[in-house]
Structures are given as structure tokens and as C-alpha cells.
Amino acid sequence: MTTAVLKLCGVSKCFPAPGGAVEALREVSLELAAGEFVAITGPSGSGKSTLLHVAALLEPPTSGEVWLDGEDVARLSERQLAARRGGKIGMIFQKFCLLPHRSVLDNVLFRFRYTRHPRAAARALACAALELVGLRERMEHKARLLSGGEMQRVAIARAIALPPRLLAADEPTGNLDRAAAEGVMHCLRELNGRGATILLVTHNEALLRHCSRHLRLEDGLLVNQ
Ligand code: ADP
Ligand code: MG
């Protein structure tokens, strides 16, 4: 039997809030096998981003278990968690999370902050990722001067500059026109073809045809499996 790349067992996530705690995820269980390309859809506020943040080891669950490549991540130290994130996980944030005053290239190089790549090797990988998203000519531009669609593509380049074992992509085509969205999906499929397992949140039903499985979240619950 092969080990799942990601396994969530009864994962719940509560956020304290002034009007009472918000239950963003309620006992979510799912398993991603190596090489899967899984789409998650659901209404705004249904817990999609929270699910990706938990899957990308950016947030611990309130209860339940998260397993990455057969490791129970609750047993890992902060340092080990950071090493797993750096070495295995690519995250494309819904709000890009770029460094606005730094160049496009510096933003992509941020992916290598906690890896041991020599500078020249990191730069070559960053440039290749920027080429893939069509922004190589813009690499010296400051991130804050880019359009929303371009920022999104920088965020994608940063996540894929080091081919991740697991890519968590939060509406990576949300700010793109149809042609650019198809271009991004092409990148993701290529990455998937090279072995990355992908968890993609999208609102765009037209993109589901690229995925091997489709899950839906409603009010923190997975409603189809
Ligand atoms: P989606 O991505 O599906 O729109 P989210 O995962 O962002 O949904 O949010 C799910 C619910 O959790 C929402 O009600 C949201 O307001 C709440 N939430 C998310 N993050 C936090 C937080 N850090 N603190 C408090 N509430 C949060
Ligand atoms: Mg979201």
C-alpha cells in the first residue's frame, strides 16, 4: 500500500471571534494519493482557504490529525515544520502575499529562503519559473507596481520555483482572464505530470475538467467524496 501524500483525519478548526467562535472546518477527513489533482469548490466563507492553510502546515487544526507523507505533523517541532514546508510544500495564497517593495525576482527567490540552494542555482530556478508564467521580462519590477493578474503569476512562480511534493493553490486564477487562467492551469498540469500532488481551490467550474477529483465544502463540511 502506498502512503498518502496528505491525510486529514477528522480535522476541525475553530477561530475565536467576538460574537462566538467560528467553526471554519468541521471534522474534515480526506486523503490525497501521490499524483492526484484535486479541486475544492464551495461558497465564500465555507472554509476553503482554512483547509489549504491546514494542509500546507501553516495553521494547526483545533482537533483532528494531519499527516504529510506518513508523518503525523503534530509530532513535529516548529523547526521541523518549517523544514517540511520549505522542502515539500508550495502554497499559492489567495491574497498573493508578495513583498510589495521588492522586485519580482526577489519575491520568487523568497521560496529559497530556508533551502540550501546556492544563489546562482536559486536564481536559475526562479528565472525558469518566471519564464513559465510569462514574467521573465518583468523580473526587475517592484511587485507593488504590477497588476493583480501579474501579482498572481508571481505568487505562482514562487510556489513552483522548487517543484513541490504538495501544491496548495488558493484560487490561483481568481484575478486572471480566461486565456491567462488556462495558461496557469497548463502550468499546474505540467507540474502535476512531473509528480506534484495538487489541491486547488477554485470558483471556476470550467477548470474542473483539468482535475482528477472534485470535493465540495459547505459551512466547513466536506459534502461529496
Ligand atoms: P473561504 O476561503 O471558503 O472563503 P475561509 O477559510 O477564508 O473561507 O473562512 C472560513 C470561515 O472562517 C469564515 O467564516 C471566516 O470568516 C472565518 N475565518 C477564517 N480565518 C479566520 C481568522 N484568522 N480568524 C477568525 N475567523 C476566521
Ligand atoms: Mg478563501
Side-chain angles (χ1 to χ4, degrees):
M1 202 184 76
T2 51
T3 311
V5 171
L6 177 75
K7 196 167 151 188
L8 304 184
C9 308
V11 163
S12 296
K13 181 74 186 178
C14 288
F15 292 110
V22 177
E23 272 196 272
L25 296 174
R26 304 170 196 249
E27 307 221 352
V28 169
S29 294
L30 73 88
E31 213 171 304
L32 299 190
E36 279 201 281
F37 192 152
V38 175
I40 298 186
T41 59
S44 179
S46 58
K48 303 181 299 297
S49 293
T50 306
L51 178 60
L52 288 198
H53 294 167
V54 170
L57 316 188
L58 295 164
E59 296 256 18
T62 308
S63 60
E65 294 171 11
V66 180
W67 293 72
L68 182 71
D69 271 334
E71 265 186 331
D72 178 357
V73 303
R75 295 173 182 274
L76 301 179
S77 65
E78 273 304 318
R79 205 187 161 91
Q80 289 170 318
L81 277 176
R84 297 302 179 277
R85 280 194 297 265
K88 292 192 174 186
I89 298 174
M91 174 83 205
I92 303 173
F93 292 94
Q94 187 168 14
K95 293 177 185 159
F96 322 135
C97 294
L98 300 181
L99 301 164
H101 303 293
R102 303 293 288 272
S103 70
V104 164
L105 179 62
D106 281 350
N107 269 279
V108 179
L109 284 172
F110 204 75
R111 180 71 187 85
F112 299 90
R113 199 173 166 83
Y114 300 107
T115 71
R116 291 169 189 274
H117 287 74
R119 191 161 164 85
R123 193 185 153 96
L125 288 166
C127 288
L130 283 168
E131 180 88 51
L132 210 61
V133 299
L135 283 177
R136 176 120 189 209
E137 274 71 54
R138 298 295 200 93
M139 70 186 189
E140 301 300 340
H141 285 230
K142 293 274 184 280
R144 69 187 160 82
L145 300 177
L146 302 175
S147 71
E150 287 166 340
M151 288 184 190
Q152 189 143 48
R153 285 189 279 151
V154 176
I156 292 164
R158 181 180 55 193
I160 67 176
L162 262 184
R165 173 103 168 119
L166 173 67
L167 179 70
D170 202 350
E171 303 196 27
T173 61
N175 292 275
L176 305 180
D177 59 35
R178 183 146 35 125
E182 287 294 336
V184 166
M185 289 307 285
H186 183 77
C187 279
L188 298 188
R189 281 180 72 159
E190 200 171 291
L191 204 64
N192 182 236
R194 284 190 267 142
T197 301
I198 300 184
L199 194 52
L200 165 80
V201 165
T202 183
H203 269 117
N204 187 343
E205 301 267 327
L207 301 182
L208 296 178
R209 70 181 198 286
H210 294 289
C211 303
S212 54
R213 188 149 61 106
H214 171 207
L215 304 173
R216 190 170 166 80
L217 265 178
E218 281 176 16
D219 204 14
L221 289 167
L222 266 189
V223 293
N224 65 343
Q225 292 236 45

